[in-house]
Amino acid sequence: MKKILVANRGEIAIRIIKSARKMGIKTVAIYSDIDRNAPHVQFADEAIRIGENASNKSYLLGSKIIDEAKKMDVDAIHPGYGFLSENANFAEEVEKNDLIFIGPKSDSIRTMGDKLAAKDAVKDFDIPMVPGVDSAIDNIEKAICVAEEIGFPILIKAAAGGGGKGMRIVNNLEELPSQMERAISEATSAFGDGSVFIEKYISSPRHIEIQVLADSHGNVVHLFERECSIQRRHQKVIEEAPSSILTPSLRKKMGDAAVKVAKSCDYLGAGTVEFLLDQDLNFYFLEMNTRLQVEHPVTEFITGVDLVQEQIKIAKGEKLSFNQDELNIKGHAVELRVYAEDSLNNFTPNIGVLETYRIPEGKNIRVDNGFREGMEIPIYYDPMLSKLITYGSTRMEAIELMIEAINNYKIVGVETTLPFGKFVCEHESFRSGNFDTHFVNDYYSAEKLKKEIKEEARIVALLGLKIYLEDQKKLRIPTN
Ligand code: ADP
């Protein structure tokens, strides 16, 4: 493998290029018009324009990307996450064009991309599942039957769902018809597929996912868990590894289950098996993400494994160079997704120009970044600016370093999730490890954050005054 085309943009394109470069592999970036001078384009060895700004006229144009890859003598395509990464038809077209898709085979993507097909695939592997139905529901009568059988609250989910979209919590029978209608119409407009199904709503769950790696020689290992319970709108904002709640025996059980899930779909490459963990530490299979995950760096910190490098090696047909017993957890890592979103205003996207943009540096601080000072944040794509990751020998060390790194991350021009990240890291419930996916609802409000910011400003002002007064004292010219 001599040349890889990275079918993505921003921080993840840069992240992939870094590992390819380390392995002596040349890289090709792709770009839309607005991204012509973007950091990922400048970082790659070569770059090619794909189309106009909107994703469906550029980063989602699978056939065009494959054509360009062939013209540029590329051997393999890395899809990153998002865009075409979980598009089975794209993976298949790449395979048909004699290019290597750095990821699983298209069949595995197809199976795991549909939450119902995924449940079906793992059925015979003794994997605990959330109580509910394993087939699509399209009429209210059936929905009522299921709901009465499993008991409220229930969750209606889109089979083709992703990104927290198309999910509706239903608390009682009265709400059911209208919520069903809404879920079906939301699923149709977001995914072009109105199939929905019903799960028991687990009331205080933690989102725990397991990283797996599978090679083409039948070896499958897991690289432990990531805790992703700090979410807004069912989407992750802060992740960490390991989880503060898992015991070694539960970790082993969940790891073994994840390996079975990977085997159930003949998995190849890096993947993530997501579980919900209830208050009694029962875990349930949620879904499998058949790609590199946004939050993969926390796993890299605690295992010392470069996951992108492993993906490339597996795609080349190499055997995994380690077995399960050789993998160990060392230390603790925390990641904050730095989104251009206003934490004080319901996390609404906040697009603008990065007038000041300085990222923190230092030992055990990693910033996977796709932006630079002066850049405008395009409205066309995901508003994530970077991922800030810190590492420590203990969880507390990693959290304290995260607070310090957030303080040293200077962004002027747009609102970001940095203040929210600090709020979480300073919150007793997060620090004690006693939290669930409802952290934001339970503990966070814009008012609380504003109060903290005001209090901080007051302390800074008082400190400034104290230093001023001390300086005055020192500088005072003796009168005698
Ligand atoms: P998506 O593919 O849209 O990300 P997931 O199935 O991965 O959807 O779920 C995303 C989040 O939604 C989970 O991390 C969890 O917070 C919540 N969730 C999903 N299913 C349930 C459930 N059955 N009970 C409670 N919360 C759930």
Side-chain angles (χ1 to χ4, degrees):
M1 198 182 285
K2 294 197 179 69
K3 207 194 255 189
I4 292 175
L5 180 142
V6 183
N8 216 300
R9 64 182 298 282
E11 67 86 19
I12 195 61
I14 293 173
R15 160 73 194 91
I16 293 160
I17 296 169
K18 278 186 183 163
S19 284
R21 186 159 291 157
K22 215 162 69 181
M23 299 169 82
I25 300 171
K26 293 266 179 260
T27 53
V28 179
I30 61 169
Y31 60 87
S32 64
D33 288 332
I34 201 164
D35 277 345
R36 183 174 299 274
N37 295 312
H40 79 277
V41 175
Q42 294 179 345
F43 195 57
D45 298 306
E46 292 172 86
I48 182 84
R49 175 186 180 272
I50 292 296
E52 293 168 33
N53 299 339
S55 319
N56 60 1
K57 293 188 171 163
S58 53
Y59 297 103
L60 289 173
L61 290 178
S63 305
K64 174 103 198 275
I65 293 170
I66 292 172
D67 283 349
E68 295 298 347
K70 280 162 64 181
K71 275 190 226 153
M72 297 186 84
D73 253 342
V74 159
D75 304 300
I77 297 184
H78 196 308
Y81 57 71
F83 295 127
L84 295 164
S85 62
E86 286 173 292
N87 182 322
N89 294 340
F90 174 68
E92 195 173 343
E93 208 181 322
V94 173
E95 289 161 16
K96 280 191 183 144
N97 277 277
D98 287 331
L99 292 166
I100 299 170
F101 180 77
I102 303 180
K105 295 287 167 227
S106 50
D107 287 344
S108 319
I109 302 179
R110 202 161 277 129
T111 306
M112 290 298 162
D114 182 298
K115 291 184 205 278
L116 285 172
K119 281 177 192 264
D120 198 46
V122 306
K123 221 165 41 195
D124 300 331
F125 287 78
D126 199 22
I127 310 291
M129 312 275 246
V130 186
V133 278
D134 53 8
S135 57
I137 288 186
D138 54 10
N139 67 73
I140 303 287
E141 289 71 39
K142 179 88 201 286
I144 292 174
C145 272
V146 174
E148 284 183 333
E149 200 182 308
I150 60 177
F152 289 99
I154 57 161
L155 190 64
I156 308 176
K157 276 184 166 183
K165 284 192 210 106
M167 260 186 265
R168 306 214 72 97
I169 302 166
V170 187
N171 291 304
N172 52 53
L173 204 55
E174 290 76 65
E175 288 176 6
L176 188 57
S178 63
Q179 295 290 43
M180 267 289 281
E181 255 168 54
R182 279 202 201 164
I184 293 172
S185 89
E186 236 173 67
T188 312
S189 65
F191 312 109
D193 174 358
S195 321
V196 297
F197 63 100
I198 292 178
E199 268 180 8
K200 171 92 189 145
Y201 182 68
I202 311 282
S203 56
S204 298
R206 294 173 77 126
H207 175 119
I208 310 271
E209 58 184 35
I210 308 280
Q211 176 70 53
V212 295
L213 277 178
D215 68 16
S216 55
H217 305 269
N219 304 302
V220 189
V221 296
H222 72 83
L223 290 92
F224 315 107
E225 79 278 9
R226 290 184 287 261
E227 159 99 50
C228 311
S229 301
I230 306 290
Q231 309 179 342
R232 45 103 186 75
R233 294 191 289 267
H234 300 302
Q235 277 190 288
K236 306 155 187 170
V237 201
I238 292 181
E239 301 99 344
E240 61 179 308
S243 162
S244 56
I245 195 156
L246 256 57
T247 58
S249 83
L250 184 54
R251 176 169 295 125
K252 182 168 177 340
K253 265 193 212 152
M254 294 181 76
D256 289 347
V259 167
K260 279 193 209 162
V261 171
K263 287 185 174 162
S264 79
C265 67
D266 223 351
Y267 202 74
L268 183 72
T272 295
V273 182
E274 297 189 336
F275 295 100
L276 286 182
L277 189 71
D278 73 13
Q279 277 170 315
D280 302 321
L281 300 186
N282 300 306
F283 64 91
Y284 309 96
F285 171 66
L286 205 51
E287 64 165 345
M288 179 169 194
N289 289 325
T290 55
R291 53 171 161 82
L292 187 67
Q293 202 89 328
V294 175
E295 55 274 20
H296 75 276
V298 290
T299 301
E300 295 190 320
F301 256 135
I302 64 155
T303 59
V305 174
D306 177 331
L307 287 168
V308 176
Q309 195 166 319
E310 292 306 319
Q311 284 187 300
I312 297 174
K313 282 193 197 165
I314 291 168
K316 282 166 73 182
E318 287 182 28
K319 266 190 187 159
L320 283 175
S321 59
F322 41 79
N323 58 35
Q324 191 66 59
D325 298 339
E326 287 166 306
L327 288 165
N328 291 302
I329 297 178
K330 191 163 173 260
H332 200 102
V334 180
E335 172 180 287
L336 167 66
R337 299 188 189 191
V338 183
Y339 283 105
E341 282 179 2
D342 191 350
S343 319
L344 296 178
N345 187 13
N346 215 7
F347 298 98
T348 41
N350 198 262
I351 306 296
V353 175
L354 293 168
E355 286 157 28
T356 303
Y357 190 70
R358 260 170 274 145
I359 60 177
E361 283 171 16
K363 191 165 174 257
N364 293 336
I365 298 175
R366 167 173 165 180
V367 188
D368 283 15
N369 170 46
F371 282 81
R372 70 170 109 71
E373 198 162 272
M375 258 178 90
E376 189 171 350
I377 300 159
I379 56 166
Y380 303 95
Y381 319 113
D382 182 75
M384 195 177 78
L385 299 177
S386 76
K387 298 174 321 209
L388 173 59
I389 310 112
T390 57
Y391 175 77
S393 57
T394 62
R395 183 169 186 264
M396 254 327 128
E397 228 178 271
I399 292 175
E400 290 302 335
L401 187 56
M402 177 59 79
I403 295 172
E404 195 183 315
I406 291 172
N407 287 338
N408 292 328
Y409 206 141
K410 302 288 178 217
I411 303 181
V412 178
V414 295
E415 299 303 329
T416 71
T417 45
L418 284 173
F420 170 74
K422 192 167 161 189
F423 175 92
V424 176
C425 287
E426 285 175 346
H427 198 280
E428 199 30 51
S429 158
F430 181 70
R431 294 170 80 86
S432 67
N434 182 19
F435 57 92
D436 58 34
T437 56
H438 302 301
F439 179 93
V440 170
N441 271 349
D442 289 349
Y443 304 116
Y444 177 74
S445 74
E447 279 58 46
K448 277 189 198 156
L449 184 57
K450 273 184 209 156
K451 218 165 109 194
E452 274 193 14
I453 293 172
K454 251 195 213 155
E455 179 59 17
E456 217 165 78
R458 201 175 69 88
I459 293 169
V460 171
L462 283 176
L463 269 177
L465 181 66
K466 184 166 175 270
I467 292 167
Y468 171 80
L469 291 175
E470 276 168 8
D471 281 354
Q472 284 280 314
K473 232 189 264 168
K474 272 189 228 147
L475 292 174
R476 193 167 294 153
I477 299 153
T479 44
N480 52 353

